[in-house]
């Protein structure tokens, strides 16, 4: 049975992990007979967004503590992630991937990945274990590899241009589909970069989970 | 196409709407070709629980604003709910149902339902439209009906005893199953009162959505 690390970035599309994508990732891992453990960095969120108004509030919240809501408390700090314990890693999207796990939302093509996360993902890459990236999370991929890795964030030209500048090979992709780079063992899917419904997000995430588990053979 | 009101109680199992149950409700509504609109009361949460430690924090959060995280911002205040616009209503669980939508978590058999919610649900009942209750949310049912309605919260004897005292007819039920009261048009399922996985919660919620939509014929 494959065991997968799922890395969350908070709880809520505008300042954390996209909730539907996160739950669908766990659901599809279970449906495909894999087990998982959720992780999140024990750091403060970039900011807190009121999800009714879309405006920043003056609160401060911790990424790990908020992500624990999605994981029903069953979560560990990213510092506890041991690559040897897992067959693969999956990162759901949401702005948390571009605000808390990286600064892509603000820095675009000059974005950097949270050093602690980059270190952990580099170990998965060195161990030739597969990585799955959902929604905007694939924008981190060029910062993790020296080679030009194929990936998708859907169809958005501006975002794709930033990724090309960073050294990635962006491939346009429908919401139901995935892009697989077999050499790098990297899978990506657009999910809510394009999805108009939970069902649309689910279809791509189901395929991503399948491809990640297959690459972990 | 059936249109269903989904009433959320925050965002997170220990102080709000259970996130998996909420997302699975939306997923199964879409899979069964129904549309939906999320609602939540524009009130303050009873409290805020740190989902890593399980302890109360000294923050204050609004039920509607937090529930908007699950709904990706597509949510309306409960005050805007018009019974004529909908064929049915579903309430996911989580402690929010027993702390924010009612006080069952603290008052047990003496619990009362949030008056604004009781008023809206009474209109659905008067219009003979079906109601679905997930997890601990069914504990509100005896306060909504004069008759003895059949319902389940799973197998927990203490909780079942409170519900019996309140005037409900509790029926033990496995996580994969539902209890249907055809006369009252009320469906309930245990979900995370018993579920050990997302998949287990999903199986009962899928059946609940199916039964609610069938009763809405």
């Amino acid at each position: 049975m494959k065991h997968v690390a799922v890395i969350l970035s908070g709880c809520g599309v505008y300042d954390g992990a996209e909730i539907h994508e996160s739950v669908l990732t766990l659901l599809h891992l279970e449906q495909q007979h894999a087990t998982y453990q959720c992780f999140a960095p024990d750091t403060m969120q970039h900011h807190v967004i009121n999800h009714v108004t879309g405006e920043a509030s003056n609160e401060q919240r911790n990424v790990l503590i908020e992500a624990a809501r999605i994981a029903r408390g069953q979560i560990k700090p990213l510092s506890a992630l041991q690559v040897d314990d897992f067959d693969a890693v999956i990162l759901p999207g949401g702005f948390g991937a571009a605000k808390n796990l990286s600064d892509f939302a603000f820095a675009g093509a000059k974005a950097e990945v949270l050093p602690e996360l980059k270190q952990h993902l580099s170990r998965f890459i060195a161990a030739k274990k597969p990585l799955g990236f959902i929604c905007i999370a694939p924008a981190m991929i060029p910062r993790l590899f020296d080679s030009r890795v194929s990936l998708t964030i859907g169809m958005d030209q501006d975002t794709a241009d930033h990724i090309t500048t960073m050294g990635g090979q962006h491939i346009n992709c429908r919401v139901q589909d995935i892009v697989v780079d077999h050499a790098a063992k990297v899978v990506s899917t657009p999910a809510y970069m394009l999805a108009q419904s939970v069902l649309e997000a689910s279809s791509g995430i189901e395929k991503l989970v399948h491809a990640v588990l297959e690459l972990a053979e």
Side-chain angles (χ1 to χ4, degrees), chain A:
Chain A
M1 192 176 268
K2 303 291 190 312
H3 193 41
V4 178
V6 177
I7 299 177
L8 302 176
S9 58
C11 177
V13 55
Y14 298 125
D15 58 17
E18 210 296 312
I19 290 174
H20 301 190
E21 291 172 3
S22 303
V23 174
L24 291 166
T25 298
L26 306 185
L27 176 70
H28 288 301
L29 282 168
E30 290 185 10
Q31 276 181 333
Q32 297 181 40
H33 311 293
T35 54
Y36 55 81
Q37 171 66 50
C38 293
F39 294 89
D42 186 6
T43 55
M44 297 311 288
Q45 293 185 187
H46 176 82
H47 57 190
V48 177
I49 298 288
N50 176 321
H51 279 55
V52 170
T53 64
E55 287 172 12
S57 76
N58 61 359
E59 294 169 79
Q60 295 199 320
R61 298 188 185 181
N62 175 287
V63 177
L64 174 63
I65 292 171
E66 297 310 312
R69 295 176 174 273
I70 294 175
R72 297 172 45 81
Q74 301 301 306
I75 196 164
K76 293 180 179 175
L78 187 55
S79 58
L81 175 55
Q82 296 289 339
V83 63
D84 291 346
D85 295 343
F86 295 94
D87 299 293
V89 61
I90 296 179
L91 294 94
F95 273 102
K99 291 178 175 178
N100 301 327
L101 301 187
S102 75
D103 58 357
F104 185 80
F106 313 106
K110 294 183 177 173
E112 295 296 339
V113 176
L114 185 73
E116 183 187 12
L117 175 62
K118 187 172 178 177
Q119 193 172 51
H120 284 290
L121 294 179
S122 296
R123 290 183 188 133
F124 276 86
I125 294 165
K128 302 197 186 306
K129 294 184 177 183
L131 294 82
F133 295 84
I134 296 168
C135 184
I136 192 63
M140 290 185 267
I141 295 170
R143 286 287 177 266
L144 304 171
F145 289 85
D146 296 324
S147 57
R148 184 171 288 270
V149 174
S150 296
L151 64 97
T152 190
I153 49 79
M155 307 274 188
D156 186 72
Q157 194 57 51
D158 284 353
T159 309
D161 287 347
H162 283 319
I163 286 169
T164 304
T165 303
M166 292 166 79
Q169 177 71 48
H170 185 268
I171 296 172
N172 280 343
C173 180
R174 299 180 315 152
V175 66
Q176 302 89 346
D177 286 332
I178 58 175
V179 166
V180 184
D181 188 308
H182 289 275
K185 291 197 175 185
V186 167
V187 187
S188 50
T189 191
Y192 276 107
M193 288 297 290
L194 290 173
Q196 297 296 314
S197 66
V198 187
L199 216 46
E200 281 192 354
S202 181
S203 62
I205 291 170
E206 182 174 14
K207 285 181 193 166
L208 175 136
V209 167
H210 184 80
V212 166
L213 294 177
E214 216 168 47
L215 286 168
E217 297 293 349

